[in-house]
Amino acid sequence: MKRFSMMLAVSLAVSLVVVACASMQSGGKDLVTRAVSAQGGADALAAVKTISYKATVRQWEPEQSAKAGGEMRLAGDSTVAAVTDVATGATRMDWVRNFQYPAPRTFTFTEIVTREAGYVAGVDSNGRTKQSREANPPAHSMSSLRLATVQRELLAASPLLALEMSKSPDRVTAAPSVTIGGVQYPAVDYRVGGHSLTVLFDPATGLPARVRALDYDNIWGDVTWDVVLADWQTVGTTRIATSRKYELNGRTVMDVKLSDITVNTPVAADRFAIPAPFLATARPAAAAGVPYQWIIRRQFIGTYLDSDQPSYDTQSSPGLKLEEIAPGVQHVVGGSHNSLIVEMKDYLIVFDAPVSDWQSTWTISAARGKYVRKPVKYLVLTHHHMDHAGGLRAYADAGVTIVAGQGTAEHYKKVLAAPFSRNPVMTASDLSRTSIVEVTGKHVLTDGTRQVELYVLDPNPHADGLLIGYVTDVKLGFVTDIWSPGAGPLPDKLNPALTSLVTGVKKAGIEPAKFAGGHGGTADYAPLAALEGK
Ligand SMILES: [Zn+2]
């Protein structure tokens, strides 16, 4: 028995090598041909004119965890009803998204995506563009970045991907096989419309098993983004995967289960119609430079700003700018996420590295322009979340010391050791020797004149080890996510996040007059403190 299974294993391995060699010689086209026939054959697939289904979608966000490098946060559970018209390439998705994080809420909206344009009817995010805020009822055209992203994701998961590849053999090239979980998957690369996908095939069935993109993640650098196809069902004369699990670097962050799949159910053309004013402002899909992971994962938590510039709304903001909020203190504003620059005698301290290394590069160069010959010496990261720490590499590259909260240094060490060859604005270098100071309780940065104090806000409901800053001479605090000063009116009473700030300020024994925020602007502290006990 043992001998038999060994022989079987050897012969299977040999046949795999044979398949792999044959497909390398054929440029991988035999793998595509096999997949097409495993899905019912070219004629059956070509007869598919529309595909409709319902699905449940569960998403987790690994870089909004409570603990740095810790368990992923459940982002939410959604349902979607989708329909695709194969001939025009149009897809409509009607969503009900129930978010758990950053706050429980439900967004009900529709996405319509064609080859030329993308459109959203309804509110799909807390980060809304000017057009979305002004439209009545709310609606907006998709940015070029989002359209490219949705198109790529629809393509990767398309039941007709193998057929499409078989019709465009010039876009298919053989790829080295990939071993996952002890299984060796023969693979091809498929390049189309600025997208680059690697399709891995099930060696046993020949069906597409996984479609991989090599993405850039602003925390983990070079990452793999796989849609794992499984639970194939016969629908009409074709076979369609009813399970789509999305893996970011091997961790499942999205689980999609399809039901009620039908093909060739007639769909009225107006279901795919984008209203004229939104078609007029729609942007063509970006051909390159798409930060796919930012766009996909900000949508996971309902905070995506659908703009051609990820840092700010191009419709309402001329860009990032420095705002002097106290002598020698600049608030970097104009975008969805802010930093704070504090001038010291011979150097600068920057709080937070939000969004991307593009934004960090902007901030570093603006700081240089304002304070000539004063280098950024410290980058204080209030917490590890991807949207406030994702631009840390540009600072590390500039030689800063990173100052971070309790229990986070090991995480940042790992992050800075990760390869980042696909970083859109930086060339890869060794950042693993960046010095990191971990703050326990309180830490003081001083030049003998000005003093900047850092306090770990413990406990707080947002992120373990979260830091707040305090510039003593100007009585100015800096806070991220726990409070967004000036972003809206204060609530009637303190919520758990605001309570942790008020308690933390008291415990620290500081007397801030104002706070500047990682979001929002600046606001007086007294009205917030006055809510205590209400
Ligand atoms: Zn956060």
Side-chain angles (χ1 to χ4, degrees):
M1 189 63 200
K2 234 180 179 175
R3 195 180 141 80
F4 175 72
S5 56
M6 171 102 109
M7 276 169 63
L8 189 71
V10 168
S11 71
L12 208 74
V14 168
S15 66
L16 271 181
V17 170
V18 170
V19 169
C21 290
S23 70
M24 288 303 264
Q25 278 161 14
S26 77
K29 285 159 196 77
D30 57 331
L31 293 169
V32 175
T33 306
R34 191 179 172 215
V36 167
S37 72
Q39 274 191 265
D43 291 345
L45 290 171
V48 174
K49 302 301 177 204
T50 68
I51 306 169
S52 310
Y53 65 85
K54 289 179 181 160
T56 58
V57 181
R58 173 165 266 213
Q59 294 166 325
W60 297 264
E61 172 47 63
E63 298 313 321
Q64 296 286 342
S65 54
K67 186 178 161 12
E71 223 178 278
M72 301 187 288
R73 195 95 74 160
L74 174 64
D77 283 297
S78 307
T79 59
V80 63
V83 55
T84 295
D85 182 75
V86 177
T88 61
T91 293
R92 176 191 177 105
M93 289 173 276
D94 293 296
W95 287 96
V96 179
R97 302 195 67 159
N98 297 303
F99 296 93
Q100 301 280 331
Y101 181 88
R105 61 211 191 283
T106 299
F107 291 148
T108 304
F109 60 94
T110 296
E111 289 178 280
I112 297 174
V113 177
T114 69
R115 292 192 180 112
E116 296 80 29
Y119 164 69
V120 179
V123 173
D124 66 335
S125 174
N126 288 102
R128 293 168 65 187
T129 59
K130 184 168 180 275
Q131 187 184 36
S132 167
R133 282 182 274 116
E134 290 178 353
N136 185 17
H140 72 274
S141 315
M142 284 185 191
S143 64
S144 62
L145 301 179
R146 179 171 178 173
L147 179 59
T149 303
V150 190
Q151 286 177 341
R152 186 189 78 171
E153 295 305 294
L154 286 172
L155 173 70
S158 169
L160 300 180
L161 176 63
L163 179 71
E164 193 185 306
M165 288 195 292
S166 74
K167 289 200 276 191
S168 307
D170 51 319
R171 300 180 186 280
V172 177
T173 50
S177 62
V178 181
T179 302
I180 299 166
V183 178
Q184 194 184 10
Y185 295 89
V188 299
D189 286 333
Y190 182 51
R191 286 192 175 77
V192 64
H195 308 303
S196 193
L197 299 170
T198 301
V199 183
L200 281 58
F201 299 91
D202 185 325
T205 64
L207 290 163
R210 222 176 244 265
V211 182
R212 168 169 290 185
L214 300 178
D215 278 355
Y216 184 74
D217 172 72
N218 60 6
I219 295 294
W220 290 110
D222 300 343
V223 293
T224 52
W225 175 244
D226 293 359
V227 50
V228 184
L229 303 167
D231 298 344
W232 292 80
Q233 270 180 19
T234 301
V235 180
T237 51
T238 64
R239 297 189 76 205
I240 292 177
T242 62
S243 169
R244 301 173 181 171
K245 280 199 170 116
Y246 289 77
E247 291 181 5
L248 177 67
N249 262 5
R251 287 168 99 186
T252 300
V253 297
M254 172 154 63
D255 188 354
V256 183
K257 286 190 169 59
L258 276 64
S259 63
D260 303 295
I261 309 171
T262 62
V263 297
N264 295 338
T265 303
V267 187
D270 65 0
R271 297 283 288 161
F272 301 104
I274 297 176
F278 297 97
L279 193 58
T281 53
R283 306 267 295 116
V290 181
Y292 294 102
Q293 282 305 310
W294 177 261
I295 294 156
I296 292 168
R297 307 231 319 276
R298 295 297 285 170
Q299 290 185 68
F300 274 26
I301 59 169
T303 56
Y304 174 59
L305 175 68
D306 196 354
S307 168
D308 281 333
Q309 188 8 293
S311 285
Y312 58 89
D313 179 12
T314 53
Q315 297 165 13
S316 64
S317 172
L320 302 177
K321 61 178 180 184
L322 300 183
E323 207 167 86
E324 185 155 286
I325 53 172
V329 181
Q330 307 287 332
H331 204 189
V332 183
V333 293
S336 57
H337 294 66
N338 311 326
S339 288
L340 190 77
I341 303 168
V342 182
E343 180 190 18
M344 306 296 277
K345 208 161 68 183
D346 311 308
Y347 61 88
L348 305 172
I349 300 168
V350 175
F351 282 82
D352 279 347
V355 185
S356 64
D357 289 310
W358 178 88
Q359 179 155 338
S360 298
T361 306
W362 187 95
T363 301
I364 292 167
S365 105
R368 257 185 211 140
K370 186 84 191 168
Y371 303 110
V372 184
R373 278 187 287 279
K374 290 194 181 181
V376 180
K377 189 170 173 189
Y378 297 105
L379 169 68
V380 179
L381 292 172
T382 59
H383 66 302
H384 64 280
H385 290 171
M386 69 184 294
D387 54 326
H388 295 282
L392 84 172
R393 287 185 179 82
Y395 288 94
D397 195 47
V400 304
T401 292
I402 289 175
V403 185
Q406 199 168 344
T408 64
E410 207 44 50
H411 166 75
Y412 290 123
K413 215 183 218 176
K414 278 189 208 153
V415 168
L416 288 166
F420 58 103
S421 68
R422 297 194 281 273
N423 186 299
V425 294
M426 292 173 65
T427 46
S429 62
D430 180 11
L431 302 177
S432 66
R433 282 188 290 272
T434 305
S435 24
I436 303 174
V437 173
E438 188 174 287
V439 177
T440 307
K442 176 183 177 179
H443 188 77
V444 177
L445 300 169
T446 181
D447 58 9
T449 314
R450 173 166 262 184
Q451 184 155 313
V452 175
E453 300 175 351
L454 309 172
Y455 296 92
V456 176
L457 217 57
D458 181 31
N460 77 78
H462 193 70
D464 294 1
L466 185 135
L467 290 174
I468 57 165
Y470 184 57
V471 187
T472 60
D473 63 305
V474 292
K475 289 182 170 293
L476 177 80
F478 182 76
V479 60
T480 298
D481 285 352
I482 291 288
W483 182 31
S484 296
L490 287 174
D492 298 332
K493 53 180 190 168
L494 297 178
N495 58 34
L498 296 172
T499 300
S500 68
L501 177 61
V502 172
T503 309
V505 165
K506 246 190 190 169
K507 203 166 101 186
I510 54 177
E511 293 181 336
K514 278 181 189 299
F515 264 95
H519 297 285
T522 55
D524 290 337
Y525 177 64
L528 180 71
L531 293 179
E532 207 188 5
K534 282 196 176 165

